Amino acid sequence: MTENGTDNETWTAAGTEVVVVGAGPAGLALACELALAGIDTLVLERLPRRVEQVKGGAIQPRTAELLELRGLLEPVLRRTAPGDPVGGHFAALPVPLDCTPWQTRHPFPIVLPQWEIEEVLEKRAIALGARILRGTAVRAVDQDEDGVVVTADGLQVRARHLVACDGAHSTVRRLLGLPFPGRPGTHRAVLADIRLSAVSPLVPQKLGHMSTLIRRAEGHWAVLAPLGGDRYRFTFGRTDRTDGTDRTDRTDQEDASRDSPVTREEIAEVLRSVYGEETALGAVDNSSRFTDATRQLEQYRTGRVLFAGDAAHVHPPLGAQGLNLGIQDAFNLGWKLAATVRGHAPHGLLDSYHAERHPVGAQVLHHTSAQRVLADPNPSEDVAALRDIVTDLLRLPDANRHLAGLMSGLSLHYPPQDGRPRHHPLTGRRVPDTELTLGTGTVRLSALFAAGHAVLLDLAGAVPVGLPLPPQVDLVRATCTDGLAAAAVLIRPDGYVRWATDGTPADADSLLAAIADHLVRLP
């Protein structure tokens, strides 16, 4: 039974508007976005209950900004443990990434177990009307021109669209026979949430920069991150590795050892080897194995089935990227899919999800592959020299700013896809969460997006009075002391600029064309 009281043994449905497969961060964030737009949304999750494992335990600055647009950041922050903020990292090199030049209110990653992030998202999704069925594995997916039929444990449901957010070993992807090209893993490692009954001086007492948490000894590398009290997140592997010469296109079968159980003895042995005999394992809350495989779907949309999160892309777990990439997929897709279901999406809007997010995923795969070389637990002499050079580069402000923007997501922008030669410099870029002055007082920009609408921000009286706008676009007239380098800005529901002008009055025709071509069809 789910938290909203739906019993999947007795519940059946003739139809729904969207089925989301997978109740991880990407699937739940998407359910929030769709339900906020009034879309009838059903989430199917194979597991009977949430796995309370730390997993992807960091929210990057841009993801924090997106959550704040919907009022989801505050409940997340209430769950974080107190502590000094720590800068992000690139390949665990010993130079913190500085995000302050990117004008963000959240310049540091927010450390929080993945299951707690999921709990916040699930609570909001249910409050907005989404239905979540756990213990419901998808068995078949059939689609036609009008919709998708999903057969799962205890039900068969027809939907307008299906979104697969069911992880790296996606059942939906397998059922549709879609290849998942890329590179198989060459490193294998273990992730475990553990409790220690005794600790040596080698065990860290508080979270610090990633570079300070890595230890190597007796053929092992390990990261032991304190979570409070006797709880730790323990990641480890061997400093030797497979040679990686087998590059055949294996997918779910590429790591037969991936599903082998992690034993208590295995964890205890590595703890003793790396952190000394005084370090004693008290309990293992949960554990799993993972690899550094790198793969990406060629198309994020197949007819009426779309893919997001790890179902669309996997990469080495370096720099806290995976959870964030999936949530950002959801924020890009949610408003576009809602507009499509409601029948007021411009032609090609849903296809722009792949056009915008596939290059972003490819970029993450690219830079995590680079990090994989630099973070090699058993580096060659050449790699060690390269690490020294890149570390020196990271101490240069411009280089640090570049990689900070890349790893945090703050530098992400969506170049215009329409091929027009002239666009305002702000087009496609995020807008910092600046403070605005309205007739009723001051408000932060992020507060204007709680409804999930686009926002037309008039900062200089540039938007003509009486301009006919669709209900999905909120007109806000305000002033801004920080300045946004524009007289008026049209901002998408996911916080990226669709149109901007320096002119007063604004060119109403170009504004309405931007709305009609890229947001919502006009009457």
Side-chain angles (χ1 to χ4, degrees), residues 27-104:
L28 292 171
L30 180 61
C32 288
E33 288 293 278
L34 293 171
L36 179 64
I39 302 300
D40 186 19
T41 304
L42 174 65
V43 180
L44 304 179
E45 168 55 50
R46 175 180 59 85
L47 298 176
R49 60 187 60 85
R50 184 182 300 108
V51 177
E52 295 189 359
Q53 188 173 14
V54 173
K55 291 186 180 178
I59 296 173
Q60 291 286 1
R62 181 53 186 161
T63 306
E65 291 182 343
L66 290 172
L67 293 174
E68 190 154 40
L69 295 181
R70 303 293 188 262
L72 286 162
L73 185 60
E74 183 179 353
V76 165
L77 292 176
R78 287 200 299 264
R79 294 167 175 256
T80 58
D84 296 331
V86 178
H89 70 92
F90 183 81
L93 296 176
V95 182
L97 298 177
D98 180 11
C99 289
T100 54
W102 289 99
Q103 293 180 276
T104 179

Side-chain angles (χ1 to χ4, degrees), residues 8 11-13 19 42 44 133 136-137 150-158:
N8 68 316
W11 186 86
T12 59
V19 168
L42 174 65
L44 304 179
L133 294 181
T136 309
V150 182
T151 303
D153 296 334
L155 66 87
Q156 187 175 76
V157 59
R158 184 174 179 84

